[in-house]
Every structure is written in structure tokens, then in C-alpha cells.
Amino acid sequence: MELRPLGATGLRVSPLGLGTVKFGRNQGLKYPQPFTLPTDREALALLDLAWDLGVNLLDTAPAYGESEERLGRLLRQSRRDWIIVTKVGEEFHDGDSRFDFSAAATRASVERSLRRLGIETLDAVLVHSSGDDQAILEQEAVLPTLRDLQRAGLIRTVGISTKTVAGGLQAVECCDLVMATYNLRQREELPVIRAAYAAGKGVLIKKGLLSGHLDVAKSDPVQAALQLIYAEPGVSSVVIGTLNLTHLQANAAAVEWAVANPLRIPLA
Ligand SMILES: NC(=O)c1ccc[n+]([C@@H]2O[C@H](COP(=O)([O-])OP(=O)(O)OC[C@H]3O[C@@H](n4cnc5c(N)ncnc54)[C@H](OP(=O)(O)O)[C@@H]3O)[C@@H](O)[C@H]2O)c1
């Protein structure tokens, strides 16, 4: 899989990233089916296959239950040059999310992510938005604190996983990268992707496969979803979560096909 620039950050990422919510948390999610958490052996098999397929990007978060801790434990077993994206601001305990965008919580979260993942620098830290993207970016201490930690060498790049178009557009102005939702049913954030591309900012796509709510009436819903995403040259990587080795393999093949066969959507 040919690596792509993550905007102007200097990092190069695979066009498919592996999302790891399902590695660590199985409550309070909107997937079509309930699931049990994978064993370490199963999670390792997914990581090994992802790496062999050319995936170099892993997406995790403190709000994904055991995900960060588990990745740290498993990745210590084989030294590979993964690009790891994690987040700050959201915690998930006893079935509930809590948000804290203060300086103290941000620092403590970054230090804990470094410890859990067993690394000295985090490649990318995204603010895990509660929904009020603009207020978080303008009024909370989280972004300036992440910039301080970046200057101190603990973080390479800083961004936000947004929930609004206005927040996404603002993030393009003040962050290195943005994580946006874009799929066959949710295309509102397209202007964010295009603005980020124009500004040389990295773009990660979440929920590209509609969190698994695919239209099975379509002959190849995965291919259709990825072709839409890779019509946008500004997309650095689509982060797809899976616990299924066959799905992972199919997603890698579909991403490679979509990158090579982009839909022609006129730039507005
Ligand atoms: N920052 C945020 O606010 C935020 C929010 C949501 C997600 N994310 C990140 O983005 C990642 C992806 O988001 P997401 O999990 O909501 O959505 P997604 O990637 O659109 O969908 C994942 C779901 O699709 C299924 N799937 C994957 N490949 C498939 C295939 N080839 N055929 C059929 N089904 C397939 C998976 O189930 P199987 O296990 O059965 O394959 C999984 O339940 C997450 O893991 C997380 O890292 C971030």
C-alpha cells in the first residue's frame, strides 16, 4: 500500500488505518451487532495482518476502554514503525462518557497514553470532541496545552476529531490534522476535507463504512464507500475498525482499488 502524506506534518500514512475501538470497548457503541472483545492472540493476528497488508496507522483513544493498554502490550512484542493516533478529552467509565478539556487533564492524559503505549513521543494526538467543536477550540485549554507538549517533544502532531462542519473548518486553521466523518450517507463534512487539502493539513476519515451499517443491497458497498472517500485527493487515510481478518483483507484491497480508480467528483 503506497503511503500518503499526512498533510504537511512530514508523517506518511497508509491509505487504510486500523481503528481499535473494538479492541478495548464493547459498550455504548452504535455497531449493528454486539460483540465480545478479542483475546490478545486475536488482536495480535489483526495487527500482524494489518502490517503485512501495508497498514502503518493505528487509531486509538483513552475512551476506547482497554485499547491503548492492549496496543502497548502487544506492540512491545514486535518493534514496528507504526504511526499511532490517540486522543484526549474523553474518558469512558461504567457506560458513560465524561469530557475534560482542561490543561491538567490534557497533560495527565498524554502522559498516561505515553506510558500505556510504551513510547516516548505520540505521533498524533486528537482532541476527542464532545460535539461543541468551536467552543473547545476557542475557549478550552486543551489545544494550547497540546501545543506546549508538542514543543516539549512529547507529541509530533496535533488535531481534533470533529463533529461539526464549522468546527472542522476552524480546525483546518489551527491544527495540523483533522478527523472527519465522511461516508455514503453523511457528506456534510466534505468542505472540511477540501479546505484541509487546500491548506496542506492532514485528513483522517472516521465512520467511512457507516460504522458497519452498510447497504447490503448494493453489489459491493465497501468498494462504493471507499471510492467516494478516495475521490477526494485530500484524504490521507480512512480509519476502519474491524475484528474480522477477512474484512481487514477486503478493506485493504478495496482501498487500493479506490485509490487507483478515483470517482471524478467536480471540485466545487
Ligand atoms: N474520534 C471519534 O469520535 C471516532 C468516532 C468513531 C470512530 N472513530 C475511529 O474510527 C474508527 C472507525 O469508525 P467506526 O468503527 O465507527 O466505523 P467504520 O470503520 O465505518 O465501521 C466499522 C464497522 O464496520 C464493520 N466492517 C469493517 N469492515 C467491514 C467489511 N469489509 N465488511 C462489512 N463490515 C465491515 C466492522 O465490523 P467487523 O468487526 O465485523 O468487521 C465494524 O463494526 C474507529 O475504530 C475509531 O478508531 C473515531
Side-chain angles (χ1 to χ4, degrees):
M1 216 175 283
E2 198 170 327
L3 302 185
R4 299 163 76 86
L6 183 63
T9 63
L11 297 177
R12 293 179 63 78
V13 295
S14 50
L16 175 67
L18 181 63
T20 65
V21 177
K22 290 178 109 177
F23 277 35
R25 166 173 159 190
N26 59 6
Q27 293 178 316
L29 299 168
K30 294 180 184 149
Y31 295 119
Q33 307 290 341
F35 61 95
T36 50
L37 297 180
T39 62
D40 274 3
R41 184 192 281 255
E42 288 164 340
L44 199 53
L46 285 156
L47 292 169
D48 283 344
L49 177 62
W51 185 262
D52 289 346
L53 290 167
V55 172
N56 77 341
L57 178 75
L58 299 174
D59 180 75
T60 183
Y64 298 167
E66 295 168 44
S67 171
E68 273 189 334
E69 241 171 330
R70 172 170 276 196
L71 282 181
R73 192 165 66 241
L74 298 178
L75 297 184
R76 277 186 189 92
Q77 296 179 24
S78 58
R79 288 278 156 213
R80 287 169 175 157
D81 220 359
W82 294 103
I83 304 273
I84 303 180
V85 178
T86 191
K87 312 201 182 70
V88 290
E90 180 179 354
E91 301 283 334
F92 183 85
H93 293 296
D94 304 325
D96 266 328
S97 276
R98 290 198 187 84
F99 295 90
D100 188 341
F101 301 107
S102 66
T106 302
R107 280 181 182 277
S109 181
V110 165
E111 284 163 10
R112 188 186 55 189
S113 293
L114 287 166
R115 262 195 322 274
R116 283 177 172 172
L117 290 163
I119 52 184
E120 284 171 11
T121 310
L122 296 168
D123 295 308
V125 178
L126 307 180
V127 180
H128 217 157
S129 175
S130 55
D132 207 351
D133 303 334
Q134 283 181 288
I136 294 167
L137 290 173
E138 283 167 12
Q139 295 161 25
E140 299 280 359
V142 62
L143 191 59
T145 306
L146 289 176
R147 290 295 190 198
D148 285 347
L149 295 168
Q150 186 178 33
R151 278 188 288 274
L154 298 183
I155 296 176
R156 290 203 173 87
T157 65
V158 168
I160 176 167
S161 172
T162 51
K163 299 203 175 177
T164 63
V165 174
L169 292 173
Q170 189 162 341
V172 168
E173 302 293 318
C174 60
C175 295
D176 308 321
L177 73 156
V178 60
M179 181 180 238
T181 297
Y182 190 55
N183 60 48
L184 288 163
R185 262 180 252 146
Q186 294 167 292
R187 303 191 195 188
E188 302 80 5
E189 294 177 38
L190 180 58
V192 175
I193 298 171
R194 291 187 175 174
Y197 183 45
K201 303 298 173 89
V203 177
L204 303 178
I205 301 297
K206 61 185 170 182
K207 306 184 189 179
L209 299 188
L210 295 126
S211 301
H213 298 274
L214 290 160
D215 180 358
V216 284
K218 273 201 165 35
S219 66
D220 194 335
V222 171
Q223 194 161 303
L226 293 169
Q227 200 179 30
L228 174 82
I229 290 167
Y230 277 109
E232 295 308 315
V235 173
S236 315
S237 186
V238 53
V239 174
I240 300 179
T242 184
L243 293 183
N244 180 315
L245 294 167
T246 308
H247 286 171
L248 177 55
Q249 203 144 20
N251 296 344
V255 161
E256 288 200 280
W257 180 85
V259 169
N261 297 279
L263 265 184
R264 303 274 169 226
I265 301 179
L267 285 171

